[in-house]
PDB file of all heavy atoms in Angstrom:
ATOM      1  N   HIS T  14     -11.317  28.326  10.525  1.00 98.00           N
ATOM      2  CA  HIS T  14     -12.010  28.548  11.874  1.00 98.00           C
ATOM      3  C   HIS T  14     -11.173  27.796  12.940  1.00 98.00           C
ATOM      4  O   HIS T  14     -11.140  26.587  13.047  1.00 98.00           O
ATOM      5  CB  HIS T  14     -13.357  28.018  11.804  1.00 98.00           C
ATOM      6  CG  HIS T  14     -14.144  28.261  13.158  1.00 98.00           C
ATOM      7  ND1 HIS T  14     -15.462  28.692  13.146  1.00 98.00           N
ATOM      8  CD2 HIS T  14     -13.736  28.101  14.435  1.00 98.00           C
ATOM      9  CE1 HIS T  14     -15.860  28.707  14.430  1.00 98.00           C
ATOM     10  NE2 HIS T  14     -14.790  28.352  15.216  1.00 98.00           N
ATOM     11  N   LEU T  15     -10.351  28.542  13.705  1.00 98.00           N
ATOM     12  CA  LEU T  15      -9.477  27.994  14.690  1.00 98.00           C
ATOM     13  C   LEU T  15      -9.438  28.697  16.062  1.00 98.00           C
ATOM     14  O   LEU T  15      -9.323  29.880  15.993  1.00 98.00           O
ATOM     15  CB  LEU T  15      -8.172  27.773  14.013  1.00 98.00           C
ATOM     16  CG  LEU T  15      -6.994  27.311  14.959  1.00 98.00           C
ATOM     17  CD1 LEU T  15      -7.199  25.832  15.271  1.00 98.00           C
ATOM     18  CD2 LEU T  15      -5.565  27.561  14.333  1.00 98.00           C
ATOM     19  N   HIS T  16      -9.459  27.876  17.197  1.00 98.00           N
ATOM     20  CA  HIS T  16      -9.312  28.452  18.476  1.00 98.00           C
ATOM     21  C   HIS T  16      -7.792  28.227  18.977  1.00 98.00           C
ATOM     22  O   HIS T  16      -7.463  27.097  19.089  1.00 98.00           O
ATOM     23  CB  HIS T  16     -10.214  27.980  19.403  1.00 98.00           C
ATOM     24  CG  HIS T  16     -11.663  28.180  19.039  1.00 98.00           C
ATOM     25  ND1 HIS T  16     -12.339  29.388  19.489  1.00 98.00           N
ATOM     26  CD2 HIS T  16     -12.530  27.694  18.305  1.00 98.00           C
ATOM     27  CE1 HIS T  16     -13.631  29.455  19.081  1.00 98.00           C
ATOM     28  NE2 HIS T  16     -13.719  28.389  18.274  1.00 98.00           N
ATOM     29  N   ARG T  18      -6.658  30.095  21.767  1.00 98.00           N
ATOM     30  CA  ARG T  18      -6.464  30.686  23.120  1.00 98.00           C
ATOM     31  C   ARG T  18      -5.219  31.535  23.227  1.00 98.00           C
ATOM     32  O   ARG T  18      -4.831  32.165  22.339  1.00 98.00           O
ATOM     33  CB  ARG T  18      -6.446  29.459  24.126  1.00 98.00           C
ATOM     34  CG  ARG T  18      -7.397  28.316  23.909  1.00 98.00           C
ATOM     35  CD  ARG T  18      -8.902  28.824  23.786  1.00 98.00           C
ATOM     36  NE  ARG T  18      -9.709  27.603  23.770  1.00 98.00           N
ATOM     37  CZ  ARG T  18     -10.966  27.671  23.287  1.00 98.00           C
ATOM     38  NH1 ARG T  18     -11.532  28.741  22.907  1.00 98.00           N
ATOM     39  NH2 ARG T  18     -11.733  26.490  23.337  1.00 98.00           N
ATOM     40  N   MET T  40      -9.986  32.662  16.022  1.00 98.00           N
ATOM     41  CA  MET T  40     -11.198  33.026  16.649  1.00 98.00           C
ATOM     42  C   MET T  40     -10.885  33.938  17.791  1.00 98.00           C
ATOM     43  O   MET T  40      -9.841  33.824  18.474  1.00 98.00           O
ATOM     44  CB  MET T  40     -12.004  31.800  17.108  1.00 98.00           C
ATOM     45  CG  MET T  40     -12.697  31.068  16.102  1.00 98.00           C
ATOM     46  SD  MET T  40     -14.002  32.093  15.252  1.00 98.00           S
ATOM     47  CE  MET T  40     -13.420  31.969  13.519  1.00 98.00           C
ATOM     48  N   ASN T  42     -12.628  34.723  20.540  1.00 96.00           N
ATOM     49  CA  ASN T  42     -13.377  34.566  21.881  1.00 96.00           C
ATOM     50  C   ASN T  42     -12.427  34.334  23.012  1.00 96.00           C
ATOM     51  O   ASN T  42     -12.673  33.398  23.829  1.00 96.00           O
ATOM     52  CB  ASN T  42     -14.474  33.638  21.812  1.00 96.00           C
ATOM     53  CG  ASN T  42     -13.967  32.228  21.561  1.00 96.00           C
ATOM     54  OD1 ASN T  42     -12.934  32.047  20.979  1.00 96.00           O
ATOM     55  ND2 ASN T  42     -14.864  31.120  21.911  1.00 96.00           N
ATOM     56  N   LYS T 100     -16.324  38.317  13.535  1.00 98.00           N
ATOM     57  CA  LYS T 100     -17.096  37.156  13.988  1.00 98.00           C
ATOM     58  C   LYS T 100     -18.273  37.596  14.846  1.00 98.00           C
ATOM     59  O   LYS T 100     -18.251  38.336  15.710  1.00 98.00           O
ATOM     60  CB  LYS T 100     -16.150  36.291  14.939  1.00 98.00           C
ATOM     61  CG  LYS T 100     -16.916  35.152  15.663  1.00 98.00           C
ATOM     62  CD  LYS T 100     -17.154  34.013  14.579  1.00 98.00           C
ATOM     63  CE  LYS T 100     -17.938  32.842  15.270  1.00 98.00           C
ATOM     64  NZ  LYS T 100     -17.286  31.493  15.189  1.00 98.00           N
ATOM     65  N   TYR T 102     -21.027  36.333  17.341  1.00 96.00           N
ATOM     66  CA  TYR T 102     -21.541  35.369  18.133  1.00 96.00           C
ATOM     67  C   TYR T 102     -22.772  36.025  18.738  1.00 96.00           C
ATOM     68  O   TYR T 102     -22.901  37.132  19.336  1.00 96.00           O
ATOM     69  CB  TYR T 102     -20.624  35.242  19.354  1.00 96.00           C
ATOM     70  CG  TYR T 102     -19.355  34.490  19.185  1.00 96.00           C
ATOM     71  CD1 TYR T 102     -18.148  35.115  19.108  1.00 96.00           C
ATOM     72  CD2 TYR T 102     -19.325  33.100  19.022  1.00 96.00           C
ATOM     73  CE1 TYR T 102     -16.925  34.461  18.902  1.00 96.00           C
ATOM     74  CE2 TYR T 102     -18.152  32.353  18.803  1.00 96.00           C
ATOM     75  CZ  TYR T 102     -16.883  33.061  18.743  1.00 96.00           C
ATOM     76  OH  TYR T 102     -15.810  32.544  18.669  1.00 96.00           O
ATOM     77  N   THR T 107     -22.349  30.407  23.015  1.00 81.00           N
ATOM     78  CA  THR T 107     -21.221  29.410  23.236  1.00 81.00           C
ATOM     79  C   THR T 107     -20.211  30.025  24.145  1.00 81.00           C
ATOM     80  O   THR T 107     -20.396  31.029  24.751  1.00 81.00           O
ATOM     81  CB  THR T 107     -20.730  28.981  21.840  1.00 81.00           C
ATOM     82  OG1 THR T 107     -19.779  27.945  21.989  1.00 81.00           O
ATOM     83  CG2 THR T 107     -20.084  30.120  21.147  1.00 81.00           C
ATOM     84  N   HIS T 137     -21.554  32.426  14.033  1.00 97.00           N
ATOM     85  CA  HIS T 137     -21.955  31.277  14.767  1.00 97.00           C
ATOM     86  C   HIS T 137     -23.473  31.168  14.661  1.00 97.00           C
ATOM     87  O   HIS T 137     -24.184  31.972  15.312  1.00 97.00           O
ATOM     88  CB  HIS T 137     -21.580  31.369  16.255  1.00 97.00           C
ATOM     89  CG  HIS T 137     -21.900  30.277  17.053  1.00 97.00           C
ATOM     90  ND1 HIS T 137     -20.929  29.378  17.452  1.00 97.00           N
ATOM     91  CD2 HIS T 137     -23.051  29.715  17.517  1.00 97.00           C
ATOM     92  CE1 HIS T 137     -21.510  28.302  18.154  1.00 97.00           C
ATOM     93  NE2 HIS T 137     -22.746  28.446  18.134  1.00 97.00           N
ATOM     94  N   GLU T 174     -20.575  29.330   9.991  1.00 98.00           N
ATOM     95  CA  GLU T 174     -19.404  28.590  10.498  1.00 98.00           C
ATOM     96  C   GLU T 174     -19.963  27.155  10.953  1.00 98.00           C
ATOM     97  O   GLU T 174     -21.130  27.106  11.416  1.00 98.00           O
ATOM     98  CB  GLU T 174     -18.940  29.193  11.737  1.00 98.00           C
ATOM     99  CG  GLU T 174     -18.362  30.704  11.364  1.00 98.00           C
ATOM    100  CD  GLU T 174     -16.935  30.752  11.108  1.00 98.00           C
ATOM    101  OE1 GLU T 174     -16.451  30.086  10.125  1.00 98.00           O
ATOM    102  OE2 GLU T 174     -16.317  31.351  11.894  1.00 98.00           O
ATOM    103  N   HIS T 175     -19.053  26.243  10.942  1.00 98.00           N
ATOM    104  CA  HIS T 175     -19.307  24.879  11.397  1.00 98.00           C
ATOM    105  C   HIS T 175     -20.820  24.382  11.277  1.00 98.00           C
ATOM    106  O   HIS T 175     -21.540  24.166  12.222  1.00 98.00           O
ATOM    107  CB  HIS T 175     -18.901  24.689  12.901  1.00 98.00           C
ATOM    108  CG  HIS T 175     -19.268  25.924  13.843  1.00 98.00           C
ATOM    109  ND1 HIS T 175     -20.470  26.531  13.880  1.00 98.00           N
ATOM    110  CD2 HIS T 175     -18.461  26.573  14.683  1.00 98.00           C
ATOM    111  CE1 HIS T 175     -20.479  27.515  14.718  1.00 98.00           C
ATOM    112  NE2 HIS T 175     -19.214  27.611  15.318  1.00 98.00           N
ATOM    113  N   LEU T 220     -20.080  22.821  20.276  1.00 97.00           N
ATOM    114  CA  LEU T 220     -21.255  23.674  19.824  1.00 97.00           C
ATOM    115  C   LEU T 220     -20.955  24.135  18.385  1.00 97.00           C
ATOM    116  O   LEU T 220     -19.822  24.580  18.171  1.00 97.00           O
ATOM    117  CB  LEU T 220     -21.657  24.856  20.717  1.00 97.00           C
ATOM    118  CG  LEU T 220     -22.264  24.329  22.075  1.00 97.00           C
ATOM    119  CD1 LEU T 220     -22.294  25.507  22.993  1.00 97.00           C
ATOM    120  CD2 LEU T 220     -23.630  23.810  21.766  1.00 97.00           C
ATOM    121  N   THR T 247     -11.802  23.904  11.059  1.00 98.00           N
ATOM    122  CA  THR T 247     -11.838  22.797  12.007  1.00 98.00           C
ATOM    123  C   THR T 247     -12.556  23.091  13.256  1.00 98.00           C
ATOM    124  O   THR T 247     -13.107  22.164  13.900  1.00 98.00           O
ATOM    125  CB  THR T 247     -10.366  22.368  12.391  1.00 98.00           C
ATOM    126  OG1 THR T 247      -9.853  23.472  13.147  1.00 98.00           O
ATOM    127  CG2 THR T 247      -9.471  22.003  11.160  1.00 98.00           C
ATOM    128  N   ASP T 248     -12.708  24.324  13.614  1.00 98.00           N
ATOM    129  CA  ASP T 248     -13.164  24.704  14.964  1.00 98.00           C
ATOM    130  C   ASP T 248     -12.441  23.871  16.070  1.00 98.00           C
ATOM    131  O   ASP T 248     -12.998  23.506  17.045  1.00 98.00           O
ATOM    132  CB  ASP T 248     -14.646  24.368  15.184  1.00 98.00           C
ATOM    133  CG  ASP T 248     -15.290  25.225  16.222  1.00 98.00           C
ATOM    134  OD1 ASP T 248     -14.694  26.110  16.768  1.00 98.00           O
ATOM    135  OD2 ASP T 248     -16.449  24.893  16.622  1.00 98.00           O
ATOM    136  N   SER T 249     -11.116  23.544  15.849  1.00 98.00           N
ATOM    137  CA  SER T 249     -10.331  22.830  16.889  1.00 98.00           C
ATOM    138  C   SER T 249     -10.397  23.738  18.002  1.00 98.00           C
ATOM    139  O   SER T 249      -9.952  24.932  17.919  1.00 98.00           O
ATOM    140  CB  SER T 249      -8.932  22.661  16.328  1.00 98.00           C
ATOM    141  OG  SER T 249      -8.179  22.000  17.313  1.00 98.00           O
ATOM    142  N   ALA T 250     -10.882  23.332  19.268  1.00 98.00           N
ATOM    143  CA  ALA T 250     -11.189  24.138  20.325  1.00 98.00           C
ATOM    144  C   ALA T 250     -10.750  23.617  21.605  1.00 98.00           C
ATOM    145  O   ALA T 250     -11.520  22.817  22.310  1.00 98.00           O
ATOM    146  CB  ALA T 250     -12.711  24.484  20.401  1.00 98.00           C
TER     147      ALA T 250
HETATM  148 ZN1   ZN O 402     -15.338  27.995  17.094  1.00 59.85          ZN
END
Side-chain angles (χ1 to χ4, degrees):
H14 182 137
L15 176 68
H16 297 269
R18 317 301 188 201
M40 285 297 124
N42 61 335
K100 175 73 185 239
Y102 287 105
T107 186
H137 183 108
E174 305 260 63
H175 40 50
L220 288 170
T247 66
D248 199 14
S249 179

